[in-house]
């Protein structure tokens, strides 16, 4: 299967807090005689780059180059971090990590040690300080950033609130990146989101959004309210609120919010899932992918790593496979019963969306159909396509129709980006659906007269509009079938 994206040659600055992640694995077969606690017999110990280092690992694993900038203490943990980084090899055109690390004698390297038995964490020990970096150290961080910016395609701010991203460092990095027309993705830990003012995308999780806004992201509507509040505070282009098992919500400054469900096949460990998400998001945006598509790709990436133990990464092939599953799931979710459609319409209307509606047999879908749907979608926020069932098409078109059954027609329609929902109906006309949905805009092809559009009078009766969409000359299902018959 061909991979639907290519991150090769992209370079992303990862600026933030560095950590040494340590995993101590063993087994428990008795309780301590000294206290009611388990005794862990250690079987193995492993260490890896954590914090902003894990974001860089994810970028490298996806085939791009990470320029890692942060602060290490002058201690054993800092030296171990550098050793691990060196063993990963230098950055190349096909991926890797280039370290531009700043040493500090004033603070220790952050170390997070997780103790596991039978695959489960039983204890985590953190060695850290959260004091802002001294001005002289922060100045070295800024110099490292400035030296890397010209060669970078995007910037990630990986803030774990350990002191590397001071007010001065944040303001300088965001300002310099914006002047250089580089997208900035910020993963925040500080509840004051004004610190990230001017970033392109802010990616708080549900609890971080609650802490910053006071709004509990319990459902899609409240998550969107929290996202709008974050946009006001951070003056960002968009905010992505990650919602665990519920997936993520993308709230752009311009346009409608989108809610992307989780596709995780099982959750083993959520450690580092946010790092994977911002890495994939930054690479997708740097490659020119639209924001919603980039968010969907990032959501798929996070869904893969939570099914792996520990602070994991994923390969480009794994992400491509997950992306294919994500798209297949999205297509299935677009095909709905009337009851399901009414639930989604209610959610869309609550968010202020204008609902568009069109209908037809769509037997052999051709460029004229795609053009009609695309033009209709431009004049509404959500487009519903009502699709005649097989029996309905047979009554309308003859016993030799449809050429494609309703399952195939539904799937093809749902695969078209302009279509938000496909609803089958068994009647000869869609009046029952129109009466239930009450669309704001009713669309038909310009080969119809306005007074002949089924449901038009009803839609106009409550203030809706009926629009005729210009058609592609020479494109029709009947003409296509005739051409095929002549060729045979």
């Amino acid at each position: 299967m061909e991979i639907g994206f290519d991150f090769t040659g992209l370079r992303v600055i990862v600026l933030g807090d560095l950590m040494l992640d340590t995993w101590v694995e063993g087994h428990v077969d008795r309780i301590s005689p000294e206290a009611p606690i388990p005794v862990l017999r250690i079987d193995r110990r492993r260490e890896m780059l954590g914090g902003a280092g894990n974001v860089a690992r994810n970028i490298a694993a996806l085939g791009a180059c990470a320029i890692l900038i942060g602060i290490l203490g002058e201690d054993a943990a800092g030296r171990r971090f550098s050793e691990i980084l060196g063993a990963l090899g230098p950055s190349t055109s096909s991926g890797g990590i280039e370290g531009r690390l700043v040493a500090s004698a004033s603070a220790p390297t952050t170390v997070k040690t997780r103790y596991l038995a039978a695959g489960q964490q039983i204890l985590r020990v953190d060695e850290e300080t959260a004091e802002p970096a001294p001005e002289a150290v922060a100045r070295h961080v800024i110099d490292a950033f400035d030296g890397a910016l010209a060669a970078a395609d995007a910037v990630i701010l990986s803030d774990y609130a350990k002191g590397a991203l001071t007010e001065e460092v944040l303001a300088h990095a965001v300002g310099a990146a914006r002047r250089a027309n580089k997208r900035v993705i910020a993963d925040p830990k500080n509840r004051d989101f004004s610190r990230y003012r001017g970033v392109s995308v802010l990616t708080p999780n549900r609890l971080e959004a609650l802490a910053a806004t006071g709004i509990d992201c319990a459902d899609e509507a409240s998550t969107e309210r929290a996202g709008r509040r974050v946009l006001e505070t951070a003056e960002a282009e968009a905010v992505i609120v990650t919602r665990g098992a519920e997936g993520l919500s993308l709230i752009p400054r311009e346009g409608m919010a989108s809610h992307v469900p989780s596709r995780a096949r099982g959750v083993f460990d959520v450690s580092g899932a946010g790092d994977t998400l911002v890495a994939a998001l930054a690479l997708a945006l740097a490659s020119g992918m639209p924001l919603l598509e980039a968010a969907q790709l990032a959501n798929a990436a996070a869904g893969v790593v939570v099914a792996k133990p520990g602070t994991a990464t994923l390969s480009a092939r794994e992400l491509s496979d997950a992306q294919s599953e994500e798209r297949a799931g999205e297509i299935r979710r677009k095909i709905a019963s009337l009851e399901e459609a009414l639930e989604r319409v209610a959610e869309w209307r609550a968010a202020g969306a204008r609902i568009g509606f069109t209908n037809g047999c769509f037997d052999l879908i051709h460029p004229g159909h795609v053009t009609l749907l695309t033009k209709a979608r431009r004049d509404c926020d959500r487009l519903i396509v009502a699709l005649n069932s097989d029996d309905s098409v047979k009554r309308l078109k003859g016993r030799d129709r449809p050429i494609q059954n309703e399952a195939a027609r539904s799937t093809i329609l749902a695969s078209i980006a302009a279509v938000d929902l496909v609803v089958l109906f068994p009647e000869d006309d869609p009046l029952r659906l129109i009466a239930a949905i009450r669309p704001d805009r009713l669309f038909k092809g310009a080969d119809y007269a306005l007074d002949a559009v089924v449901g038009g009078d009803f839609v106009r009766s409550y203030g809706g509009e009926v629009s005729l969409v210009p058609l592609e000359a020479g494109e029709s299902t009947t003409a296509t079938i005739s051409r095929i018959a002549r060729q045979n």
Side-chain angles (χ1 to χ4, degrees):
M1 182 187 300
E2 183 179 350
I3 293 178
F5 52 85
D6 184 7
F7 299 148
T8 304
L10 293 178
R11 295 172 65 81
V12 178
I13 292 175
V14 182
L15 170 62
D17 295 297
L18 306 180
M19 305 178 191
L20 182 66
D21 275 350
T22 302
W23 301 81
V24 180
E25 300 176 49
H27 60 278
V28 173
D29 52 22
R30 66 192 180 98
I31 300 298
S32 170
E34 303 166 2
I37 56 174
V39 176
L40 179 68
R41 295 176 65 90
I42 296 174
D43 297 323
R44 71 169 181 149
R45 186 188 307 264
R46 55 194 174 94
E47 298 165 316
M48 62 183 64
L49 307 185
N54 188 50
V55 179
R57 288 177 63 233
N58 275 275
I59 288 171
L62 289 170
C65 300
I67 305 170
L68 181 60
I69 303 173
I71 303 168
L72 290 175
E74 294 180 347
D75 50 25
R79 291 189 291 273
R80 181 61 183 141
F81 186 102
S82 297
E83 288 172 3
I84 296 170
L85 179 59
L88 293 174
S91 173
T92 67
S93 60
S94 61
I97 304 175
E98 175 187 334
R100 302 196 180 191
L101 311 181
V102 176
S104 173
S106 61
T109 303
T110 296
V111 180
K112 293 187 181 294
T113 305
R114 299 168 177 88
Y115 294 88
L116 295 89
Q120 301 294 320
Q121 286 192 39
I122 59 174
L123 178 67
R124 193 179 94 176
V125 177
D126 293 355
E127 303 167 68
E128 63 185 17
T129 180
E131 294 300 317
E135 185 175 345
V137 175
R139 188 70 248 170
H140 287 306
V141 172
I142 289 172
D143 290 342
F145 180 85
D146 288 345
L149 184 59
D153 298 291
V155 174
I156 294 175
L157 302 176
S158 181
D159 190 359
Y160 276 83
K162 307 305 177 191
L165 294 180
T166 64
E167 297 280 357
E168 179 188 9
V169 169
L170 273 174
H172 179 90
V174 173
R178 289 187 64 174
R179 289 190 294 272
N181 293 317
K182 316 280 178 149
R183 301 290 274 280
V184 182
I185 295 86
D187 189 10
K189 287 296 180 289
N190 194 299
R191 69 174 57 194
D192 179 9
F193 284 0
S194 66
R195 299 178 77 244
Y196 311 102
R197 185 175 290 113
V199 301
S200 306
V201 186
L202 199 63
T203 63
N205 63 32
R206 166 187 279 149
L207 292 178
E208 290 160 352
L210 169 61
T213 66
I215 300 173
D216 185 8
C217 302
D219 52 29
E220 292 180 357
S222 58
T223 301
E224 184 171 354
R225 288 198 301 274
R228 296 292 174 197
R229 182 80 56 85
V230 171
L231 286 174
E232 294 175 6
T233 302
E235 299 176 9
E237 295 175 23
V239 59
I240 292 176
V241 180
T242 56
R243 302 168 55 215
E246 281 74 45
L248 61 80
S249 295
L250 166 64
I251 303 97
R253 179 166 291 281
E254 302 294 336
M256 300 291 297
S258 298
H259 305 281
V260 183
S262 173
R263 302 296 298 171
R265 288 157 290 196
V267 177
F268 188 100
D269 195 330
V270 298
S271 302
D275 296 337
T276 301
L277 184 138
V278 295
L281 179 68
L283 288 171
L285 292 174
S287 71
M289 209 175 279
L291 181 56
L292 176 56
E293 188 176 339
Q296 291 168 334
L297 186 73
N299 186 62
V304 172
V305 298
V306 298
K308 297 182 177 185
T311 307
T313 62
L314 78 164
S315 67
R317 172 58 62 189
E318 287 177 301
L319 180 53
S320 178
D321 291 344
Q323 183 186 38
S324 296
E325 291 183 18
E326 185 86 10
R327 286 174 174 167
E330 181 62 27
I331 289 169
R332 288 193 296 271
R333 289 191 295 274
K334 282 186 178 183
I335 302 171
S337 67
L338 177 57
E339 291 72 20
E340 292 168 333
L342 292 176
E343 289 180 7
R344 293 196 215 174
V345 167
E347 293 171 357
W348 292 340
R349 281 216 165 95
R354 295 172 304 157
I355 310 301
F357 183 101
T358 191
N359 68 280
C361 298
F362 294 97
D363 195 355
L364 289 179
I365 296 178
H366 51 69
H369 288 138
V370 177
T371 299
L372 183 149
L373 296 169
T374 302
K375 289 179 178 177
R377 183 61 168 78
R378 290 174 186 157
D379 289 332
C380 62
D381 297 309
R382 299 286 189 239
L383 179 62
I384 299 172
V385 177
L387 181 66
N388 291 81
S389 69
D390 288 349
D391 288 342
S392 174
V393 174
K394 199 173 295 293
R395 290 194 300 271
L396 294 170
K397 302 290 186 179
R399 64 181 183 178
D400 293 332
R401 302 283 292 274
I403 303 300
Q404 299 186 102
N405 64 30
E406 59 194 40
R409 291 182 289 124
S410 297
T411 300
I412 295 170
L413 280 170
S415 302
I416 298 173
V419 175
D420 293 287
L421 212 56
V422 178
V423 184
L424 277 165
F425 65 96
E427 299 91 352
D428 291 349
D429 64 53
L431 274 174
R432 180 174 63 93
L433 269 64
I434 293 172
I437 293 170
R438 298 176 66 89
D440 302 293
R441 301 289 296 272
L442 178 60
F443 299 98
K444 286 296 287 185
D447 53 340
Y448 281 77
L450 272 176
D451 57 3
V453 176
V454 173
D457 289 342
F458 176 74
V459 171
R460 283 188 288 265
S461 73
Y462 57 77
E465 299 178 50
V466 180
S467 299
L468 300 181
V469 181
L471 300 176
E472 290 285 315
E475 296 286 356
S476 76
T477 300
T478 301
T480 301
I481 293 173
S482 297
R483 286 197 299 271
I484 293 171
R486 287 196 301 271
Q487 289 171 0
N488 292 334

